[in-house]
Amino acid sequence: MKEILITNDDGFEAKGLCELAKALREIADVNVTIVAPSSEKSACAHSLTLTKPLRFIKIDDNFFKLDDATPSDCVYLALHALYQKKPDLIISGINHGANLGEDITYSGTCGAAMEGVLQDIPSIAFSQFYKNNSLEEFGFDLACDIVKYIVPRVLEGKIYLPQRQFLNVNIPAVSRKEFKGYRVVAAGRRSYATHATLNRNPRGVEYYWLGNAAFDYEDEQQSDIGAINDGFASVTPIMLDMTAHSSLADLQRSFE
């Protein structure tokens, strides 16, 4: 029996998490444990909670929410408190929205997968791209098909995940019939800004609300962004070594 730990950054009640658990339980010889944040933690990246205690709250058999925790907290504490032997796989998602290009550095979904591979456990982040009302129209049906295609192959070793690398999988906003297949591609680039909305509370105190800006994707055909736009699922191996190896020699010469 293979053991799979799942989490997300949309919170324990998110539909994508529930659909992920359901899809995984349809795979033979798999036991699924859910540990998810008690509330949405989007864009919390690979953060851990170090300034206050955390508490497990049991929702159902093998289903816990971690009070006011991050996705990385969920993985870290689940491995410490719930397992004597490490699970065979950690899956984060299915995220409500894509994690493409440099979004990976912001993403709590990807942060949980990062924590998994730091603990030497194969890990996958699944994210559902949507535009307009596509999430309501198509739901997570295609995403679940993709989960059931990729996960058994990882468990069987047909898809190999080296240490300190996880898979970042993004699902296009198309129906099952329109789905074109898989592309193994590099992460693309996004154009970012620093927009925020200024408001005032009833007492006249100013505050800012982040997250309303529509950040643009740069047009890169051979990238995760291009794959998604063309109706393919993007599959990108992400490594935790962020060293700019191509710059090492020049930088070394600058210090000679």
Side-chain angles (χ1 to χ4, degrees):
M1 180 76 71
K2 298 290 188 179
E3 292 285 340
I4 299 178
L5 170 65
I6 69 173
T7 190
N8 71 348
D9 73 359
D10 292 312
F12 77 103
E13 295 179 303
K15 185 175 181 181
L17 179 73
C18 298
E19 292 293 323
L20 172 63
K22 180 181 176 183
L24 291 172
R25 288 174 179 140
E26 293 174 0
I27 299 173
D29 299 321
V30 165
N31 184 61
V32 176
T33 298
I34 304 170
V35 181
S38 61
S39 60
E40 183 177 349
K41 293 291 181 178
S42 295
C44 68
H46 186 202
S47 60
L48 292 174
T49 301
L50 304 177
T51 58
K52 59 186 176 182
L54 298 171
R55 184 168 62 100
F56 285 101
I57 300 172
K58 186 173 183 178
I59 305 300
D60 204 343
D61 291 342
N62 293 332
F63 187 1
F64 303 87
K65 67 177 180 179
L66 199 55
D67 196 24
D68 200 27
T70 69
S72 296
D73 290 330
C74 293
V75 172
Y76 187 103
L77 280 182
L79 297 177
H80 173 80
L82 302 182
Y83 291 93
Q84 293 183 343
K85 178 185 175 184
K86 290 180 180 180
D88 298 284
L89 184 64
I90 291 174
I91 300 178
S92 185
I94 301 168
N95 192 62
H96 295 212
N99 283 298
L100 300 164
E102 293 94 337
D103 285 351
I104 294 166
T105 64
Y106 287 108
S107 169
T109 303
C110 293
M114 291 179 191
E115 185 60 33
V117 297
L118 282 180
Q119 304 294 337
D120 293 325
I121 301 168
S123 300
I124 310 171
F126 287 100
S127 300
Q128 174 65 63
F129 177 62
Y130 68 86
K131 53 186 176 182
N132 301 322
N133 67 338
S134 64
L135 198 56
E136 290 75 22
E137 182 179 357
F138 302 129
F140 292 92
D141 290 348
L142 174 59
C144 289
D145 290 346
I146 290 170
V147 166
K148 289 188 284 188
Y149 178 84
I150 291 177
V151 169
R153 285 163 174 77
V154 172
L155 292 174
E156 294 165 7
K158 294 178 181 178
I159 296 175
Y160 173 64
L161 298 181
Q163 287 188 327
R164 300 295 177 102
Q165 294 186 26
F166 69 91
L167 283 187
N168 188 40
V169 181
N170 284 276
I171 296 95
V174 298
S175 67
R176 283 167 159 167
K177 290 183 179 180
E178 297 170 315
F179 178 54
K180 295 183 179 179
Y182 300 86
R183 278 185 183 168
V184 177
V185 287
R189 293 184 178 182
R190 294 192 65 178
S191 298
Y192 290 90
T194 56
H195 299 299
T197 302
L198 172 64
N199 292 288
R200 289 176 175 82
N201 70 15
R203 297 184 179 182
V205 177
E206 292 183 351
Y207 65 91
Y208 289 89
W209 193 273
L210 277 63
N212 290 333
F215 302 144
D216 293 329
Y217 294 107
E218 295 188 6
D219 186 15
E220 290 188 353
Q221 191 66 24
Q222 299 303 316
S223 73
D224 53 2
I225 298 165
I228 288 296
N229 287 335
D230 289 344
F232 292 84
S234 67
V235 182
T236 304
I238 303 298
M239 62 189 300
L240 271 60
D241 178 3
M242 293 189 289
T243 305
H245 290 278
S246 61
S247 298
L248 281 174
D250 286 341
L251 188 59
Q252 287 168 349
R253 283 192 288 270
S254 298
F255 283 86
E256 291 176 353

